[in-house]
Amino acid sequence: MPDTDFRALRDAFGRFTTGVTVVTTREAGGTPRGFTANSFSSVSLDPPLVSICIGNNAHSAPVFRAAPHFAINILCEDQQHISALFASHALDKFDRTEWVEGLHGAPLLPGSLATLICAQHRLVEAGDHVILIGQVLETQTSDAPPLGYHRGKYVKVGSVKTLSTT
């Protein structure tokens, strides 16, 4: 694909409505780290695997590559400010929001729609990103409207209603 078409490709990708997550871990010295991502996906139920994509040029990429454990915090509609904070380059993200320590020291964001604590299963190099595959060790869920993202903006997903499959 010619370089001039990257904007068109990014626009096409943006048409896919996603949920919003904050992925968290700890540096080797114990400092919590995290970033906002909408490139989250379930991979397998048996074994329970999930994936998240991290840009190779992301400031926290080396930390996540080395981390044996991490957490995925799936955000609810009321956590848009947390998404924006963790999407920023702020150095004091964890000082500016409430968090608790989960299994294996993974930082968890209270009020999240769901949290998944994972052990690093595999890293897969993929273009300008690395795909971090994690094996889910523990989950927590709550009921709230999810935070959505579409065409570069936060969106309300609305009530979940089953559509006919016919």
Side-chain angles (χ1 to χ4, degrees):
M1 187 168 202
D3 289 344
T4 56
D5 290 343
F6 281 141
R7 181 73 248 170
L9 180 61
R10 188 177 179 105
D11 288 347
F13 287 166
R15 297 306 198 265
F16 183 66
T17 304
T18 67
V20 182
T21 68
V22 170
V23 186
T24 58
T25 193
R26 298 257 191 169
E27 291 181 5
T31 303
R33 295 290 293 270
F35 67 95
T36 298
N38 64 350
S39 59
F40 162 76
S41 182
S42 60
V43 174
S44 170
L45 289 174
D46 188 18
L49 300 175
V50 295
S51 70
I52 196 82
C53 296
I54 305 170
N56 289 329
N57 62 351
H59 183 66
S60 59
V63 173
F64 281 89
R65 285 177 177 268
H69 297 94
F70 62 95
I72 298 172
N73 300 270
I74 301 172
L75 301 186
C76 68
E77 190 175 275
D78 292 342
Q79 293 177 305
Q80 181 177 329
H81 65 288
I82 293 173
S83 172
L85 173 63
F86 281 87
S88 76
H89 294 289
L91 299 177
D92 61 347
K93 296 173 186 177
F94 286 92
D95 293 335
R96 295 170 50 189
T97 193
E98 183 182 349
W99 64 279
V100 297
E101 186 173 302
L103 184 68
H104 299 289
L108 305 179
L109 303 175
S112 294
L113 192 57
T115 56
L116 308 166
I117 299 174
C118 305
Q120 189 181 116
H121 177 73
R122 182 171 295 144
L123 294 171
V124 178
E125 299 299 327
D128 60 358
H129 281 66
V130 62
I131 302 169
L132 172 58
I133 300 173
Q135 182 162 356
V136 179
L137 304 175
E138 181 177 283
T139 65
Q140 299 172 9
T141 61
S142 67
D143 290 321
L147 180 60
Y149 199 72
H150 178 79
R151 296 181 70 180
K153 296 182 178 156
Y154 295 106
V155 295
K156 290 187 178 202
V157 175
S159 64
V160 177
K161 100 178 154 176
T162 304
L163 300 175
S164 172
T165 57
T166 58

